[in-house]
Amino acid sequence: MKRSLLLSIILLPLMASAHPGHGTTEGFTIIHYFTEWNHAIITWPVILLTIGLVIRARRTRNA
């Protein structure tokens, strides 16, 4: 059991590697990460959370 789990973890990057043609934009551009849904569901919340935390930190520092 442990051996198969370890093998799965080691081979995960190989199994999850992207390929050309997934999406409508070029795969190695920043636009790809903002517009393709499978990347955007992570990218946008992280960006919005970061902006919110920066604004909150500035407000608490100035208060």
Side-chain angles (χ1 to χ4, degrees):
M1 178 69 178
K2 288 183 182 182
R3 183 179 233 173
S4 64
L5 179 62
L6 180 62
L7 186 60
S8 297
I9 291 171
I10 291 171
L11 293 176
L12 184 63
L14 181 63
M15 293 184 287
S17 64
H19 55 85
H22 78 280
T24 58
T25 60
E26 184 65 33
F28 294 109
T29 63
I30 193 72
I31 294 170
H32 178 79
Y33 292 97
F34 290 124
T35 59
E36 299 296 331
W37 71 269
N38 54 343
H39 299 295
I41 60 173
I42 299 297
T43 304
W44 283 109
V46 168
I47 289 172
L48 295 174
L49 179 65
T50 303
I51 291 170
L53 290 174
V54 167
I55 291 171
R56 182 177 173 195
R58 287 184 179 178
R59 283 184 181 169
T60 58
R61 189 176 344 147
N62 292 335

